[in-house]
Amino acid sequence: MLTAIDPSTGKVLHEYAPMDEQALDAAIERSETAYRSWRQTTFAQRADVLRKVAALLREDIEHLAPLMTEEMGKPIKEARGEVEKAAWCAEHYAQHAEAYLNTEELGSDATRSFVQYLPLGPILGILPWNAPFWLAFRFCAPALMAGNTCLMKHDPHVPACAEAIGKLFERVGAPKDIFQNLPLETPQVEKAIRDRRVQGVSFTGSEKAGSIVASTATSEIKPVVLELGGSDPCIVLADADLAAAAPVISLSRMINAGQSCIAAKRIIVEAPVYDQMIELLQEHLSRLQMGDPREESTDIGPIAREDLRDNLHRQVQATKDAGARCLLGGEVPDRPGFYYPATLLADVTQDMTAACEETFGPVMVVMKAKDEAEAIAMANDTPYGLAAAVWTAAERGVAMAPKLETGQVAINGIVKTDPRLPSGGVKRSGIGRELGPHGIREFANAQQVWVGPKQG
């Protein structure tokens, strides 16, 4: 069974029966059938569907947002923002997909030579629980606009979110089966990846699961895009505007109760401003309200699952035991649900657990660097390479960016995903890119056409 547990109480919300193998086979067959006609549609026809879905997302926001709040504990004000962002993604690709996939004329020995971008077929999206609506549309909006059909296997802990996303397409009268929700249990996913009709796989989640998905997909010679974990550094140099940096860094670390791959997980501060920066961060973190995610005043809701909360506390305790100072939080609260308070760990060194492992929760780690060179070395001292932030003079930050081993760098701002810009990582943080013009081309056939001299 697919079981959703309310993380604010620890009680079962609902259970859904998973799809069996026969139903999975039928769903994939319907997706392939739908692809044959969907690929023939114009960009304008595809855009019309995406715009209708976006409008429905906004119209139904007060029903959709609470689904996230109930199933994975996202504070309601953040959940509404996520639904809006999902709608924006759909609208963005509806407007820009045709330009992103424009035929490219290239010079050669031909009378004419060009590259045209063609769809591949049914694409499988395997998604996590931490941003149920945004990640679904980050996957499906570009894939659909490219002419592919989509099969969504969502996390088993957010089945109501997944069902609601699938029904959006039905409710707007989209062509049948261009988007389907697959309520699968994890062991069933391999069958879907290996099915000959599935032409590509998009996966967002853990490094461990991503390696399994990648090895399975590549063994079947299928393209795969992976967005995996991160231990994102945020470098604060002595010439930074600390007053501007502190609230943005606090938000970057604590949004979604810190359960974000691109959250600022290691705050690396240059020695001359280290103590001052810690004071500012502590001041901002101490104002955050932990509580029921249904309340408008709540800033930090519960961790999505008990096992994740327990692992987070293990990381904090091990880091404290190794000599880090715990200036805020650091203890499991005595209340129902899977809550963990905003926690500030200072004087963390590179060998401590919270610096070596990805911390997926409201735990801020602050480290000291003697200068810019050491800060960059510390930032790169990780198997991950998803994103980084730098707070310094703008030109200096731009000069630092190519020295950082990440797929994304934010200078004097928050690391975020944006439909207009490509997102993805290097090293063990992933393969390929999502969003922007780069993302839509991941599941497109870049077909080269060479035209010879006129005949006759």
Side-chain angles (χ1 to χ4, degrees):
M1 297 296 287
L2 307 180
T3 303
I5 295 174
D6 182 344
S8 69
T9 64
K11 296 179 180 178
V12 173
L13 280 169
H14 39 245
E15 293 184 326
Y16 284 63
M19 178 179 276
D20 62 25
E21 288 199 5
Q22 285 184 323
L24 171 60
D25 182 75
I28 297 174
E29 180 63 26
R30 292 195 303 272
S31 187
E32 187 178 54
T33 299
Y35 167 67
R36 296 191 194 110
S37 56
W38 181 246
R39 68 173 300 179
Q40 303 297 331
T41 56
T42 65
F43 283 106
Q45 289 170 318
R46 298 171 198 167
D48 182 61
V49 172
L50 268 290
R51 288 193 177 100
K52 286 178 179 177
V53 171
L56 183 55
L57 280 163
R58 291 197 170 96
E59 176 186 321
D60 209 20
I61 193 169
E62 293 303 331
H63 166 68
L64 300 174
L67 297 176
M68 288 182 273
T69 301
E70 291 177 354
E71 290 193 326
M72 50 75 57
K74 190 182 294 286
I76 187 61
K77 57 189 178 185
E78 291 183 14
R80 293 193 193 99
E82 181 173 325
V83 175
E84 289 280 358
K85 191 174 182 180
W88 176 32
C89 189
E91 290 169 340
H92 175 80
Y93 277 103
Q95 181 177 353
H96 296 285
E98 185 172 9
Y100 288 161
L101 297 175
N102 266 346
T103 296
E104 297 175 340
E105 301 287 337
L106 300 172
S108 75
D109 61 345
T111 302
R112 182 192 178 201
S113 48
F114 59 92
V115 172
Q116 57 186 348
Y117 293 93
L118 308 175
L120 297 178
I123 306 298
L124 175 65
I126 306 170
L127 309 178
W129 49 265
N130 60 324
F133 279 78
W134 163 244
L135 295 177
F137 279 86
R138 186 178 75 175
F139 152 64
C140 78
L144 289 169
M145 285 303 301
N148 301 300
T149 52
C150 290
L151 296 161
M152 180 186 70
K153 187 276 173 192
H154 223 316
D155 188 278
H157 297 89
V158 290
C161 291
E163 182 181 61
I165 294 165
K167 286 184 176 179
L168 288 168
F169 289 84
E170 296 177 21
R171 292 169 63 191
V172 301
K176 189 171 176 59
D177 300 319
I178 63 168
F179 182 100
Q180 294 180 70
N181 171 42
L182 306 181
L184 299 175
E185 293 180 305
T186 300
Q188 298 172 284
V189 177
E190 181 179 356
K191 178 179 174 60
I193 296 173
R194 293 193 184 280
D195 192 287
R196 61 168 181 79
R197 295 162 293 187
V198 171
Q199 297 300 312
V201 182
S202 176
F203 174 84
T204 300
S206 71
E207 173 191 349
K208 180 179 178 181
S211 67
I212 296 171
V213 168
S215 62
T216 305
T218 53
S219 74
E220 298 292 337
I221 324 297
K222 295 180 182 182
V224 61
V225 172
L226 304 176
E227 203 261 44
L228 308 179
S231 185
D232 288 7
C234 175
I235 297 173
V236 182
L237 297 182
D239 62 350
D241 183 341
L242 302 187
V248 176
I249 294 171
S250 298
L251 175 65
S252 180
R253 173 62 276 198
M254 297 295 164
I255 195 168
N256 200 27
Q259 300 169 112
S260 169
C261 295
I262 56 171
K265 298 190 174 77
R266 295 176 295 139
I267 317 304
I268 302 169
V269 184
E270 195 172 10
V273 294
Y274 180 77
D275 291 335
Q276 184 182 355
M277 194 67 207
I278 286 178
E279 289 180 9
L280 289 170
L281 291 171
Q282 184 171 356
E283 178 186 341
H284 283 280
L285 296 184
S286 65
R287 296 176 190 163
L288 299 177
Q289 297 295 314
M290 181 183 73
D292 188 336
R294 297 165 184 81
E295 298 294 332
E296 299 287 345
S297 59
T298 294
D299 300 305
I300 299 177
I303 301 298
R305 302 198 312 262
E306 186 174 19
D307 63 308
L308 298 175
R309 193 267 306 271
D310 293 346
N311 184 59
L312 183 69
H313 185 56
R314 173 195 63 79
Q315 293 172 314
V316 169
Q317 194 59 51
T319 305
K320 288 163 60 177
D321 291 345
R325 286 187 293 147
C326 185
L327 303 179
L328 277 177
E331 298 294 340
V332 177
D334 183 17
R335 62 181 296 172
F338 312 139
Y339 289 91
Y340 203 80
T343 297
L344 178 59
L345 298 174
D347 302 347
V348 175
T349 57
Q350 289 162 270
D351 58 338
M352 293 181 184
T353 301
C356 297
E357 300 178 9
E358 180 182 23
T359 51
F360 218 63
V363 175
M364 181 179 285
V365 167
V366 187
M367 310 169 74
K368 184 188 292 187
K370 64 182 180 182
D371 55 22
E372 176 188 321
E374 184 174 60
I376 292 172
M378 292 169 67
N380 290 336
D381 185 22
T382 172
Y384 299 108
L386 193 54
V390 178
W391 288 84
T392 184
E395 290 185 6
R396 187 180 182 187
V398 170
M400 290 171 63
K403 301 174 185 177
L404 293 166
E405 297 167 356
T406 62
Q408 189 172 332
V409 179
I411 299 166
N412 298 333
I414 192 170
V415 171
K416 59 188 175 183
T417 48
D418 182 322
R420 299 166 294 189
L421 301 172
S423 176
V426 296
K427 300 195 284 190
R428 299 191 72 83
S429 284
I431 299 170
R433 291 294 180 268
E434 295 178 291
L435 302 173
H438 302 73
I440 196 171
R441 293 178 179 180
E442 291 285 357
F443 296 114
N445 171 18
Q447 185 188 70
Q448 179 246 100
V449 179
W450 186 97
V451 183
K454 291 183 179 179
Q455 300 296 305

